[in-house]
Structures are given as C-alpha cells and as structure tokens.
C-alpha cells in the first residue's frame, strides 16, 4: 500500500448504499450488449506483437470519447537494463505503444486505482484448425470465440465498461482512476514496466486477466531464453563425420526437463505452491534448425521459458540455468561434440509475487465479488498461477497491492479460444462495485455522459 493509501481509510462495503449498488449493477446490464459489440471489435484487431497500433488507436478513441485524459506512451528502450522492471527485448517498439487514460476528480477523497489490461496476443497457429477465422468474433450461446477474446480483451472491455456503469448510475469517483492499455505482456512485460517507470502508480491495481472469477494469490517468477547449438554439417554419404545440431538441441531439452523437475521439488518449501501442478513449467515454444533436407544440420536454436518462486531473484535463477547448460555441454557425449551452447535472454526476466492474505484491497474485492453475483453470492476463491503476470511489476517494483481477477475463458493460447459472456458480465459488475467502493463515489456533477451511454 502506498503512503497516500496508508493515511486514508476505505469505507466499508456498506458505505456504498444499496440504491447506488443496484444502479451500478443495472447500468452494467443495460450496456452489456454494447460491451459485447466493443469486445468483438477488439477481437477483430490483429494485435500480434508489433502490430498493436490499430487496436490501441481504437482504445485511445474510446477513452477520449468518454472524457479521459489520454496519452500514447512509447516504450523507452534506453530503460532496458537500467530499470529493474524492464526485461530484454529483441525488437524495436516503433509501432507499439501504451495508451494511458486518466480521470482525476476535482477533490480527491478516496483511494486511487489502476485498471490494467494488455492488448497484445499470441499467434493463432494454423487458422484452418479453428471453427471460424481466429479474428472473426463468433458468438455461440454463452461463448464469444476469437483469438484474444479471453486473454485478455474481455478484461479490457470489463475495465472500461465498469467505469462507464458508475457514470451511467449518476455517480462519479472521488479518487483518480487510470486505465492502462499496454503492450508486450505476452513476451517481456515492458509495456507495464514503461507505465510504472513513468510514474503511473496508484493505491491499488486490478488486472482482469482470465482467472475463472478467482483471485490470484501468487504467481511464478519467469525467465525466457533462447539456446543456440552449432554442430558439424555433413553430406549423407559421410554422416558419421557430422554432428547434428538438431539432435544435440533435443538432448539439451531432455536435460532441461531434469532441471524443471529439480526446481519443482522446491515447491514443498514455498508458501501457497505446495499443491501447484508443475510450478516451474518448462516449455519449449519454438525450434528452428537445419539448412538442407539432405544435410546433417549445422545449427539449431530453440526458445522457451521456465518458472520459479516468489522471493527468488531472477538473476540468481538465470545463473543457475546457465551453469546447468554449461554442465550439460561438458558432460553429455553428443553435446560435447558441438560448440558450447549459447544462452540468450530474449523475454521476460521477472520475479514472482505473493498477495498476502488479509489486505483491505482483497477484502473490498471479495465483497464486490459476492454482491455482483447476488446479495449472498459465492465467496471469492484464490489460487496460484504458475505464469508471468504484469501484476508482478506493480507489486515487486512499486509495492502496490495487485489484484488479478477476471472472467472464465477456455483454450487460452490454443485453438478456438473463447470467453464466457455471462462470466464477463459478472466480472464487469464486480470491477464496477470494487472501483466505486475503493475510490469512493458521490452524485455526478455532470450527467451528460450518463445520458449519452
């Protein structure tokens, strides 16, 4: 919690009157079809890495129409290697930028809030494997299909429309609120890092990643790597004189599975991770090797990620990883015949974080979660996510209470990704009630926006 927050007391959930609460919930319902239309427009945007300009232009326009003070924020590559929130990058950011929308009340009485969401998405794979085009938002019953529908364009729509609902209910927040529409979450986290490094902080941050309407109690630290192996090329008639770089790479991957198992064994000593399935989660995401179909391959490069635990320093895990690969190179008979494998860091290099139980931010969210579903809805559950989250940057590098909570989604990063619309409606209501309670509300002085929407 920031010093500003420490000097303020949040009203209890009862301070948000039943009448105001009901007006906010009704406003979400009345605007929900417009929200689904907005989400569908976001899904149509092919916002792959380096191609986020189109979607960010749309988000920028949407926030400007709503009266936010909006600015585009280019990632300053000079901060990479200088500011601890940044990770190694392999591209320029000339066509990628954040969109920051800010609303500041005339008089601030409550506590400030950031709603963060990323617009970058992962590749679709073979589009022929999808029921419909990955970028054709398709609604079937309760589900909206499309790449990014769940991860996490639904969450971005929830953040925007949750704040819309507060205004439509004839209320205004009594503390500053920011919407961070960021890039690079799927690979480096440098979008959120830029927002943080530029001084965009608050008393709490809520990130509506798809979490099945649960709160993330902790997440893994993550390091992303590339390993290049050089063998000895040879003609098929002289195979024995060559050394296959592809076979050597596969051998290294086999050994890395042993490192994964070793790191997984540590989970019994780590708070909240004792029941997590595969917290280290080694994945090899890409592999490229060889030069000719009828030659022993000269080179091979593969990329992947591996996780570790909150409290561990990523630099120490990087050293351990590099030492492990060096030992493999020295001891494995096949890898010995290649040049020493080259390890590069090509993506996120960040620690994990833990949201300590008992924070007031969690308490307010838990009450909002119950009230959004019914007067006596199900309690908020928490779990551990063994993956990178932008929340780690706000928590680790700024000490901001970081809440990750969002809708039910399926097939994330896979074929036929989809998000539950009924869940999205509930999450939008939860975020609206949370923002109203956390920031505080009063009757709106200007009702033109409420009438407009």
């Amino acid at each position: 919690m920031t010093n500003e927050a420490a000097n303020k007391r949040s009203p209890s959930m009862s301070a948000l009157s039943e009448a105001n609460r009901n007006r906010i919930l009704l406003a979400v319902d009345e605007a929900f079809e417009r929200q689904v239309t907005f989400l569908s427009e976001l899904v149509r945007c092919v916002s792959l890495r380096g191609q986020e300009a189109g979607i960010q232009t749309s988000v920028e326009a949407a926030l400007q129409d709503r009266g936010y003070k909006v600015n585009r924020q280019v990632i300053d590559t000079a901060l990479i290697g200088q500011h601890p929130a940044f990770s190694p990058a392999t591209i320029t950011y000339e066509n990628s930028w954040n969109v920051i929308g800010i609303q500041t009340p005339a008089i601030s009485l409550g506590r400030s809030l950031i709603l963060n969401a990323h617009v970058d998405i992962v590749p679709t794979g073979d589009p022929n494997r999808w029921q419909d085009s990955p970028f054709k938002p398709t609604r079937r019953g309760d589900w909206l299909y499309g790449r990014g529908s769940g991860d996490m364009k639904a969450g971005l729509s929830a953040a925007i429309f949750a704040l819309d609902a507060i205004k439509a209910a004839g209320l205004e927040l009594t503390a500053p609120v920011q919407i961070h529409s960021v890039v690079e979450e799927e690979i480096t986290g440098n979008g959120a890092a830029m927002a943080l490094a530029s001084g965009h902080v608050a008393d709490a941050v809520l990130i509506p990643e798809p979490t099945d309407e649960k709160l993330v109690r902790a997440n893994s630290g993550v390091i992303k790597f590339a390993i290049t192996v050089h063998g000895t090329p040879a003609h098929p008639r002289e195979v024995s004189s060559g050394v296959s770089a592809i076979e050597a790479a596969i051998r290294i991957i086999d050994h890395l599975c042993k490192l994964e198992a070793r790191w997984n064994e540590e989970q019994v000593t780590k708070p909240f991770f004792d029941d997590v399935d595969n917290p280290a989660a080694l994945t090899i995401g890409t592999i490229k090797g060889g030069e000719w179909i009828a030659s022993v391959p000269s080179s091979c490069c593969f990329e992947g990620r591996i996780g570790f635990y909150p409290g561990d320093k990523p630099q120490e895990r990087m050293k351990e990883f590099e030492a492990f690969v060096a030992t493999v190179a020295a001891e494995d008979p096949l890898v010995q015949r290649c040049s020493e494998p080259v390890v590069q860091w090509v993506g996120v290099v960040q620690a994990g974080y833990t949201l300590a139980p008992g924070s007031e931010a969690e308490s307010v969210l838990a009450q909002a979660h119950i009230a959004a579903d019914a007067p006596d809805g199900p309690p908020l559950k928490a779990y551990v996510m063994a993956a990178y989250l932008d929340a780690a940057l706000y928590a680790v590098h700024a000490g901001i209470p970081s809440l990750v909570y969002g809708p039910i989604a399926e097939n994330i990063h896979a074929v036929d990704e989809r998000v539950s619309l009924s869940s999205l409606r509930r999450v939008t209501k939860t975020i609206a009630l949370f923002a109203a309670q956390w920031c505080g509300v009063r009757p709106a002085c200007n009702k033109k926006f409420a009438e407009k929407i």
Side-chain angles (χ1 to χ4, degrees):
M1 185 176 295
T2 65
N3 290 333
E4 179 184 3
N7 294 325
K8 299 177 182 177
R9 291 186 58 82
S10 169
S12 66
M13 196 64 181
S14 60
L16 184 64
S17 71
E18 182 178 356
N20 283 340
R21 185 163 62 246
N22 289 340
R23 279 195 288 267
I24 291 171
L25 296 176
L26 179 60
V28 172
D29 286 331
E30 291 179 340
F32 190 68
E33 286 304 316
R34 293 196 296 275
Q35 181 178 347
V36 175
T37 298
F38 178 75
L39 171 57
S40 297
E41 292 170 355
L42 297 181
V43 172
R44 288 190 184 93
C45 295
V46 184
S47 53
L48 297 163
R49 189 186 193 197
Q51 301 177 37
E52 306 95 340
I55 192 170
Q56 290 291 62
T57 299
S58 296
V59 173
E60 180 181 38
L63 295 180
Q64 287 175 337
D65 287 346
R66 288 162 164 81
Y68 290 82
K69 179 183 178 182
V70 183
N71 65 80
R72 295 184 179 186
Q73 183 182 64
V74 178
I75 296 174
D76 183 358
T77 56
L79 293 174
I80 297 174
Q82 301 299 317
H83 191 289
F86 286 81
S87 292
T90 58
I91 66 168
T92 64
Y93 293 121
E94 56 186 356
N95 293 316
S96 300
W97 60 83
N98 295 333
V99 171
I100 307 292
I102 303 174
Q103 288 188 339
T104 306
I107 300 176
S108 183
L109 301 174
R111 294 178 297 190
S112 57
L113 176 65
I114 292 170
L115 298 176
N116 164 293
H118 68 86
V119 295
D120 56 309
I121 57 173
V122 301
T124 65
D126 182 358
N128 293 320
R129 297 183 63 190
W130 290 65
Q131 296 181 66
D132 300 281
S133 169
F135 300 109
K136 177 186 176 183
T138 304
R139 190 170 181 174
R140 292 191 180 90
D142 185 50
W143 300 96
L144 183 73
Y145 290 77
R147 172 57 87 228
S149 59
D151 188 15
M152 63 169 295
K153 294 176 181 180
L156 177 57
S157 80
I160 293 173
F161 277 78
L163 299 185
D164 284 358
I166 294 171
K167 292 182 179 180
L171 303 168
E172 62 183 24
L173 297 175
T174 58
V177 63
Q178 305 175 41
I179 293 180
H180 294 181
S181 178
V182 303
V183 297
E184 281 289 281
E185 191 273 350
E186 296 289 4
I187 180 66
T188 64
N190 286 345
M194 189 67 224
L196 183 62
S198 62
H200 288 90
V201 296
D203 296 321
V205 58
L206 191 153
I207 303 181
E209 288 272 12
T211 64
D212 297 340
E213 299 181 43
K214 299 175 184 177
L215 174 68
V216 174
R217 173 63 63 207
N219 85 305
S220 301
V222 173
I223 49 179
K224 293 180 179 176
F225 58 86
I227 297 180
T228 302
V229 185
H230 293 291
T232 303
H235 190 277
R237 68 182 182 182
E238 301 169 334
V239 168
S240 61
S241 68
V243 180
S244 170
I246 292 176
E247 292 180 12
I250 293 172
R251 189 73 64 84
I252 294 172
I253 293 171
D254 288 340
H255 284 288
L256 287 176
C257 291
K258 300 174 186 176
L259 180 65
E260 175 192 42
R262 181 190 303 172
W263 288 6
N264 277 336
E265 290 173 355
E266 300 175 21
Q267 71 185 112
V268 295
T269 66
K270 306 296 182 178
F272 308 114
F273 277 80
D274 50 331
D275 292 328
V276 176
D277 180 39
N278 193 11
L282 170 72
T283 59
I284 305 302
T286 71
I287 185 166
K288 181 179 180 181
E291 301 74 39
W292 182 245
I293 193 170
S295 299
V296 174
S298 173
S299 64
C300 183
C301 178
F302 61 92
E303 299 172 312
R305 58 85 74 194
I306 192 168
F308 48 97
Y309 304 92
D312 295 351
K313 294 181 179 180
Q315 293 76 15
E316 294 301 317
R317 290 296 188 174
M318 292 162 71
K319 291 178 182 178
E320 187 176 350
F321 185 94
E322 291 172 338
F324 182 87
V325 173
T327 298
V328 170
E331 296 180 355
D332 184 281
L334 175 60
V335 183
Q336 279 181 336
R337 298 173 62 197
C338 299
S339 61
E340 185 172 355
V342 177
V343 178
Q344 296 173 290
W345 303 105
V346 295
V348 68
V349 173
Q350 285 296 336
Y353 81 99
T354 298
L355 177 68
S359 71
E360 196 164 1
E362 179 179 340
S363 176
V364 173
L365 180 65
Q367 294 174 68
H369 169 83
I370 292 172
D373 189 61
D376 189 23
L380 178 64
K381 296 180 179 180
Y383 77 119
V384 172
M385 184 178 289
Y388 167 78
L389 294 167
D390 274 346
L393 302 184
Y394 296 95
V396 173
H397 300 292
I400 299 174
S402 300
L403 309 171
V404 181
Y405 167 91
I408 296 169
E410 295 181 349
N411 304 327
I412 299 169
H413 287 209
V415 172
D416 289 336
E417 179 180 350
R418 64 182 189 171
V419 65
S420 165
L421 296 179
S422 59
S423 176
L424 176 59
R425 186 193 297 249
R426 288 191 298 272
V427 164
T428 304
K429 290 179 177 180
T430 298
I431 295 173
L433 295 179
F434 173 81
Q437 179 56 45
W438 183 258
C439 300
V441 292
R442 65 183 177 185
C445 297
N446 185 345
K447 297 185 180 181
K448 288 184 179 180
F449 179 81
E451 294 170 356
K452 178 180 177 181
I453 65 171

